[in-house]
């Protein structure tokens, strides 16, 4: 019985939610393309994709964190600190092969720090990461000290802006990230432990799963991915500004929840999260193209979030 | 619990001691609250202000919110009031939020100035202005027209819609376009959350929506790297012009690449200098009845009596030729 339940929750594709999101995406695309001849073009979809890369990368790890029963609101801060380290390293004239590992390591260390606080002190993750978020943002201010880092080299821009075999480079970055995350979550014992902890932490502890260790590793992973996102951000925009990462944590959580992750843990879908990212980025893009004030975008995203959650709640009640 | 109380007690004690110490000496204390902390523009303003403070023998403190948040700005304003500063200058994010606090500060005998941006409906005494909103709007559009012609589509990317000065510049640009360049069409005005990423997105989307777009104009320094990057990444340098109210340091690499051929702004160090100078002048009982000559500033300061504005001078245009002469 327990085995059966675990099999259901760890199904890689939750068809119900993905189908629902697909319908929402198609409806959205139809509306936008009817209103603007420029929406449904190769060039515009490349633009949407380029704008989605950093959020998509963070969402892959956010899905794993939410399946674990956790949450990380500090990803924007981690991204910011990693980006500052990357920017400063570039300014000192360091080459890509030094700069990139430094950025990734910064992310992983800050993420692991979150993990240690959460696992060792049992402070609820939302509170712990809220606290570290404030600290990370303060670090950003203290290091930058009022001077934007701008005019950074564009040697890595091809990761986001380039093209391989006729497809935008961003597709490969997203593809590799999601394949890696999927294998990790669904094809390794570590991934099964994450699902088990998210379903029932106490039982997981009783059957001997190293809960603390797994948590620290999972938060280090999301930190690492925030580091990847920082590399991609700097590669694309070539500057580090004071407000970097402001909204990315909330967008990531919204996309992940839209994608079918249950905030109480145990359930989540990587493909769904990716579709959630596309929904958010497509809304931001499409509203501008059809000439609707950008102030409406959060209304659309918020409304869909509520609709999806209500449908979920109704469905849950029926099956019960 | 007791720990918290102890902590609060010691903080309160610290505050009392701190304010006691400052109240004893007679040095004039002047505070300035920018719209956001930590951007090069306000750092440059602080440099000018510090220079004036050193010359005039006053104490100058500058502290702003970490995001463009009107409530945080109000909190900082009130903390300066409570600390008993003689002069508080502010670059308001939102006039309505600040109005009652400005009135209360005036009642407490504090000299309240607006500087860098105005709150015309409040009880502030003077607005220390860098340049008239109208001049700035006209200059940006005139310089754009001089480079790409007087007919075509222009998109505007701004920061938060609550920042009054930017709304004024947009209005001035629209007014100039309507009155002088009837062939110019302003196709969109979008507002970012202060990140370069959103400015980049809006500029790219505007170019997608209008394949014949002529120019993207950025209202805030926070929007400049994003819109210039969008022009570079779109491979349309020379086809689409980006320009805006951007500090030379922020715009420098794009001015040199040609993505952003020029930027319009003023010298914020001079503005900071003038703000402190005016604060000190008023504290010492000075009265403003006409144009002023300020030592340390090149151009005379104009006084616009009907709106109580002190005007630093005409806007500067930064191009590839002169951008390296400035560092802010």
């Amino acid at each position: 019985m327990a085995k059966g339940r675990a099999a259901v929750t760890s199904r890689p594709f939750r068809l119900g939610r993905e189908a629902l999101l697909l319908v929402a995406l198609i409806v959205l695309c139809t509306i936008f393309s009817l209103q603007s001849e420029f929406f449904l073009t190769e060039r515009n979809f490349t633009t949407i994709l380029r704008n989605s890369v950093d959020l998509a990368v963070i969402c892959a790890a956010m899905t794993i964190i939410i399946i674990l029963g956790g949450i990380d609101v500090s990803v924007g801060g981690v991204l910011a600190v990693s980006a500052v380290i990357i920017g400063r390293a570039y300014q000192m004239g360091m080459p890509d092969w030094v700069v990139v590992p430094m950025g990734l390591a910064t992310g992983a260390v800050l993420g692991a720090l979150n993990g240690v606080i959460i696992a060792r002190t049992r402070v609820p993750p939302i509170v712990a990461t809220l606290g570290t978020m404030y600290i990370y943002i303060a670090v950003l201010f203290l290091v930058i000290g009022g001077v934007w880092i701008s005019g950074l080299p564009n040697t890595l821009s091809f990761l986001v802006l380039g093209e391989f075999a006729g497809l935008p480079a961003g597709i490969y970055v997203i593809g590799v990230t999601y394949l890696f995350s999927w294998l990790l979550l669904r094809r390794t014992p570590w991934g099964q432990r994450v699902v088990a902890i998210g379903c029932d932490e106490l039982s997981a502890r009783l059957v001997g799963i190293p809960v603390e260790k797994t948590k620290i590793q999972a938060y280090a992973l999301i930190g690492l991915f925030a580091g990847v996102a920082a590399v991609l951000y700097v590669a694309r925009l070539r500057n580090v500004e004071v407000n970097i990462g402001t909204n990315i944590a909330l967008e990531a959580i919204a996309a992940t929840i839209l994608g079918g992750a249950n905030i109480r843990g145990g359930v989540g879908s990587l493909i769904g999260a990716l579709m959630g990212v596309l929904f958010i980025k497509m809304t931001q893009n499409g509203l501008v193209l059809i000439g609707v004030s950008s102030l409406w975008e959060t209304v659309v995203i918020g409304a869909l979030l509520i609709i999806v959650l209500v449908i979920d709640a109704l469905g849950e009640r029926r099956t019960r | 619990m007791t720990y918290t109380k102890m902590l609060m007690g010691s903080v309160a004690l610290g505050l009392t001691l701190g304010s006691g110490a400052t109240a004893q000496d007679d040095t004039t204390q002047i505070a300035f609250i920018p719209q956001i902390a930590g951007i090069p523009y306000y750092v440059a303003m602080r440099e000018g202000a510090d220079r004036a403070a050193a010359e005039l023998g006053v104490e100058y403190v500058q502290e702003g919110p970490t995001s463009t948040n009107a409530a945080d700005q109000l909190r900082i304003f009130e903390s300066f009031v409570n600390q008993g500063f003689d002069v508080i200058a502010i670059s308001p994010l939102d006039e309505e939020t600040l109005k009652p606090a400005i009135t209360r500060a005036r009642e407490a005998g504090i000299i309240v100035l607006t500087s860098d941006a105005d709150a015309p409906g409040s009880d502030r005494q003077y607005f220390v202005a860098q340049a008239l909103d109208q001049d700035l709007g006209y200059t940006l559009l005139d310089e754009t027209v001089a480079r790409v012609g007087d007919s075509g589509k222009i998109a505007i990317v701004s920061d938060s819609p609550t920042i009054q000065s930017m709304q004024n510049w947009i209005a001035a640009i629209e007014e100039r376009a309507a009155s002088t360049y009837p062939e110019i069409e302003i196709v969109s005005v979008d507002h970012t959350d202060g990140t370069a990423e959103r400015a980049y997105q809006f500029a790219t989307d505007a170019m997608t929506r209008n394949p014949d777009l002529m120019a993207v104009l950025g209202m805030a320094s926070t929007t400049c790297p994003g819109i210039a990057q969008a022009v570079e990444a779109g491979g349309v340098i020379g086809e689409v012009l980006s320009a805006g109210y951007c500090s030379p340091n922020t715009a420098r690499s794009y001015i040199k690449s040609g993505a952003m051929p020029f930027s319009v702004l003023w010298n914020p160090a001079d503005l900071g200098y003038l703000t402190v100078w005016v604060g000190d002048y008023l504290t010492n009982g000075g009265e403003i009845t006409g144009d002023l000559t300020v030592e340390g500033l090149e151009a005379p300061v104009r006084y616009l009596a009907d709106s109580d504005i002190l005007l630093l001078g005409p806007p500067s245009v930064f191009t590839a030729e002169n951008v390296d002469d400035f560092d802010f």
Side-chain angles (χ1 to χ4, degrees), chain B:
Chain B
M1 184 67 202
T2 47
Y3 198 67
T4 323
K5 272 187 185 161
M6 264 174 60
L7 206 66
M8 284 170 63
S10 52
V11 169
L13 190 68
L15 283 176
T16 339
L17 284 177
S19 55
T22 46
Q24 274 166 10
D25 63 56
D26 294 333
T27 315
T28 302
Q29 288 182 301
I30 301 177
F32 172 64
I33 307 161
Q35 293 183 347
I36 184 167
I39 65 169
Y41 172 80
Y42 289 118
V43 173
M45 216 172 140
R46 186 208 305 256
E47 282 163 12
D50 281 339
R51 186 159 50 86
E55 286 173 21
L56 300 166
V58 301
E59 186 191 333
Y60 176 76
V61 179
Q62 179 170 324
E63 188 170 333
T66 52
S67 64
T68 49
N69 180 325
D72 283 350
Q73 210 188 23
L74 175 65
R75 182 177 51 72
I76 295 168
F77 183 89
E78 287 181 329
S79 85
F80 280 128
V81 173
N82 294 339
Q83 289 173 61
F85 271 69
D86 303 291
V87 180
I88 304 177
I90 185 164
S91 171
L93 281 164
D94 180 47
E95 175 171 345
E96 293 305 320
T97 314
L98 288 166
K99 254 189 199 170
I102 291 177
T103 308
R104 277 198 303 277
R106 288 290 305 277
E107 282 163 1
I110 296 168
I111 294 167
V112 181
L113 305 171
T114 51
S115 175
D116 176 53
D118 196 13
S122 72
D123 285 337
R124 57 96 179 140
Q125 272 151 295
Y126 296 99
F127 170 33
V128 182
Q130 55 277 37
L132 288 182
D133 288 340
Q134 195 186 30
D135 289 346
L136 284 163
Y138 283 15
T139 307
L140 186 62
L141 190 60
D142 290 348
E143 293 285 333
T144 303
V145 164
R147 285 169 176 81
V148 293
D150 63 356
S151 90
K153 292 177 177 171
I154 290 179
I156 293 177
V157 180
S158 182
D159 202 310
S160 166
T162 60
I163 305 176
Q164 192 55 46
S165 53
M166 291 181 197
Q167 299 293 83
N168 295 346
W169 300 338
I170 295 169
I173 292 170
E174 286 172 338
E175 193 257 311
R176 181 69 159 180
S179 64
T180 317
Y181 309 113
E183 300 291 305
I184 291 226
E185 184 192 353
I186 291 166
V187 288
S188 58
V189 178
D190 288 304
H191 299 278
T192 73
D193 54 4
T195 62
E197 181 175 27
R198 289 296 276 147
Y200 174 93
Q201 253 176 291
F202 282 131
T204 312
D205 292 346
M207 287 190 267
T208 307
R209 185 178 174 217
N210 309 286
D212 53 345
L213 194 74
M214 184 171 85
V216 184
L217 302 182
M219 295 300 108
S221 263
T222 57
T223 58
C224 289
I227 62 172
Q229 273 296 326
V231 169
E232 284 189 6
V236 288
I237 293 178
E239 291 166 48
V240 181
L241 169 142
S242 73
Y245 304 108
C246 319
S247 73
N249 281 353
T250 316
R252 179 170 290 116
S253 62
Y254 309 111
I255 287 181
K256 292 192 169 162
S257 79
M260 181 174 278
F262 74 99
S263 167
V264 174
L265 213 66
W266 49 89
N267 188 343
D270 287 350
L271 183 63
Y273 189 98
L274 180 60
T275 304
V276 170
W277 189 92
V278 170
D280 179 62
Y281 182 74
L282 294 172
T283 314
N284 294 332
E287 283 183 21
I288 295 172
T289 48
D291 293 357
L292 300 164
T293 313
V294 177
E295 251 177 75
L297 292 181
E298 282 174 22
V301 175
R302 276 172 63 202
Y303 174 55
L304 310 177
D306 53 347
S307 44
D308 282 327
I309 292 176
L310 292 159
L311 189 60
L312 187 63
S316 315
V317 179
F318 306 108
T319 61
E321 281 78 49
N322 68 358
V323 67
D324 284 333
D325 301 340
F326 298 90
D327 184 24
F328 67 93

